[in-house]
Amino acid sequence: MGTRSAGAQQPYPSRPIRVVVPFVAGGGTDVVGRELAQRMSEELGQPLVVDNRGGGGTVIGSDAVAKAPPDGYTLLLTTSALAINASLVRDLPYNTERAITEVGLICRGPNVIVVKPDSPLRTVADIVRAAKASPGGLTYGSSGNGSAVHLAAELFKLTAGVDITHVPYRGAGPAYTDLLGGRLDMVFATAGGVASLVKQGQLRAVAVTSAGRTPAYDGVPAVAETLPGYEADVWYAVFAPAGTPAPVVARLNAAMRKATEVPAYRDRLAGEGLTVAVNSPEEMTRFMRAEEARWRRVVTDGKLTPD
């Protein structure tokens, strides 16, 4: 049976649902989100239409959802960037805790440091040595200020005690293009977003940012093997505008669970280095608050700004 949203005469959902992805097309969020949206559509009986709204370090897309009607017809599918921006961006146009409500976690996995196949940077130790020899001389690209990969790189710099120049992009795709063109030394990328380029041999993976190695990147060491204690996974989750009725949030969470139980989807994510990790809305809220506190420390210690 459908869920009746507040004030609605028809069971929820009775029309298409817009899923805002606050990144340009072509990154890891598309890998996770587009197939999930399709499978949730089958479960909910209505289309879930993905709307890529990149820019502003995910703030533009997130703000669109924060200000949308809380009726369950506008959702946000984003990454750890939402928790990061809570402390990174001083004048957010929305209050993360008050304007956005948690629907549930989808999956999580490592980020990956990638270089061109012919790069002399073959190991984490190589990167650290080169960075110490020329402070600020090396460059790394990311999918944007405030993105999970940006903070993973900044945590790398803090842990290693090095200075590497950040070059932010409006999404992962343009960063990969410039890396392939020799305009960057490396890119901190999501496991899902860069997997195909690594498999095809267009890019080489130097290390993963999870605490240990991952089967999807066979033979690729973890950064922690060189820099003990380092860990910077990325996660993907669904959110809605604050005030979205609890029964609607529960219906969406149930559809997410059903969609992620499909073996083909789990296998697809596993091939990208990602593990399904759906939780409840209440668990996601607790997780979100812990993540905000965690990354606030990195922002403060690294003296980071969104510019």
Side-chain angles (χ1 to χ4, degrees), residues 1-15 17 43-46 70-73 243-255:
M1 290 182 64
T3 300
R4 291 185 182 276
S5 56
Q9 297 302 311
Q10 295 177 302
Y12 173 86
S14 60
R15 55 187 169 87
I17 299 167
E43 179 64 20
L44 292 168
Q46 289 290 341
D71 54 12
Y73 290 99
T244 300
V248 170
V249 172
R251 177 92 168 92
L252 290 165
N253 183 272

Side-chain angles (χ1 to χ4, degrees), residues 68 113 188 208 243 280 284 301:
I113 303 173
F188 275 70
V208 293
S280 70
M284 186 60 203
D301 293 349

Side-chain angles (χ1 to χ4, degrees), residues 95-106:
N95 182 299
T96 308
E97 295 186 22
R98 296 177 185 173
I100 296 173
T101 193
E102 293 77 19
V103 174
L105 191 67
I106 305 166

Side-chain angles (χ1 to χ4, degrees), residues 58-73:
T58 75
V59 172
I60 292 173
S62 300
D63 186 47
V65 175
K67 292 180 170 58
D71 54 12
Y73 290 99

